[in-house]
Amino acid sequence: MAEIVKSRRAYNAAGRRAQGAATRLAVLEAARELFLANGYAGTSIPAVARAASVSPELIYKRFGPKPALLKAVFDVSVAGDDDPITLEDRDVIKQLQADDDGAHIIAAYAAFYAKAQARTAPILLLARQAAAADPQAAEVWDQMNAERLTGMTHFAADLHRKRLLRKGVPARKARDILWAYTSVELYELMVIRRKWTIRMFREFMTQALSAALL
């Protein structure tokens, strides 16, 4: 009897987790759609709640205020899903860390970055615009950039540790080069304004970073 009760409890817990994950994803998808359609200022928590068929209170409880919701939408855009796995623990990053071929590392990273930026650039540009008028949104924008700088610091340190950086390019300089090339402003110029394809942008990133770093 005890085993049956434990099994039911485990089943109920798994069901609640699955339902919670589905609700969270529904909120994030609704928020992304409304942010991009109406802008940051034109999107409200109640509107997102209606679109996701949940209560505003649930959104505040799970995500926090609107700036935190925007950050959550961005995080999902970077990863490509809402799985509870940090970017550093994902297979694509672990594979880069395990690789010792500089040219292959840069090519693989450029492919990952170009694909991810196609998802994240609209949210980044929205956050940048919102930051000019909303102090809380400005904090989120600063956080996004700080996290990218941290990521590029680790990337540069890994290239340095593997002795892949060319002479005259210390880890600190490599970090700054990576920081510049991964800015949303570069993507905005080449893909959004000049209408480059993602393939063209990926090839450009591969060539430019290889020439600058290796």
Side-chain angles (χ1 to χ4, degrees), residues 44-68:
S44 67
I45 294 293
V48 174
R50 287 193 298 271
S53 299
V54 300
S55 68
E57 290 74 21
L58 181 144
I59 294 178
Y60 283 114
K61 181 178 179 180
R62 294 195 180 184
F63 296 94
K66 188 165 64 169

Side-chain angles (χ1 to χ4, degrees), residues 43-185:
T43 299
S44 67
I45 294 293
V48 174
R50 287 193 298 271
S53 299
V54 300
S55 68
E57 290 74 21
L58 181 144
I59 294 178
Y60 283 114
K61 181 178 179 180
R62 294 195 180 184
F63 296 94
K66 188 165 64 169
L69 181 59
L70 177 63
K71 180 59 167 58
V73 171
F74 168 75
D75 289 342
V76 170
S77 298
V78 172
D81 58 58
D82 192 35
D83 294 341
I85 305 172
T86 64
L87 190 61
E88 292 76 13
D89 289 331
R90 289 178 177 265
D91 289 343
V92 62
I93 302 302
K94 287 186 174 181
Q95 289 168 6
L96 293 177
Q97 293 171 341
D99 200 338
D100 290 323
D101 185 321
H104 186 264
I105 291 171
I106 294 299
Y109 177 75
F112 163 75
Y113 172 76
K115 184 177 180 180
Q117 193 70 322
R119 299 188 300 265
T120 58
I123 300 301
L124 282 166
L125 294 173
L126 182 144
R128 186 184 69 184
Q129 182 181 34
D134 186 319
Q136 288 186 315
E139 291 180 5
V140 170
W141 171 245
D142 289 343
Q143 183 182 359
M144 292 173 177
N145 282 291
E147 289 176 355
R148 182 167 61 86
L149 183 60
T150 297
M152 295 307 98
T153 300
H154 293 164
F155 192 7
D158 187 56
L159 294 174
H160 175 73
R161 178 180 60 81
K162 295 172 181 175
R163 300 181 182 275
L164 297 175
L165 296 175
R166 64 180 174 82
K167 186 177 180 180
V169 181
R172 184 180 182 87
K173 183 176 180 179
R175 176 204 63 188
D176 292 346
I177 291 171
L178 288 163
W179 162 260
Y181 276 105
T182 57
S183 67
V184 71
E185 286 77 13

Side-chain angles (χ1 to χ4, degrees), residues 3-51:
E3 291 183 0
I4 294 176
V5 172
K6 289 181 180 178
S7 178
R8 287 176 177 173
R9 287 177 178 172
Y11 176 80
N12 289 338
R16 287 195 296 271
R17 286 194 296 270
Q19 184 177 10
T23 298
R24 177 181 170 85
L25 186 59
V27 171
L28 291 171
E29 289 177 346
R32 179 184 176 90
E33 182 176 343
L34 290 177
F35 278 136
L36 296 181
N38 303 327
Y40 181 81
T43 299
S44 67
I45 294 293
V48 174
R50 287 193 298 271

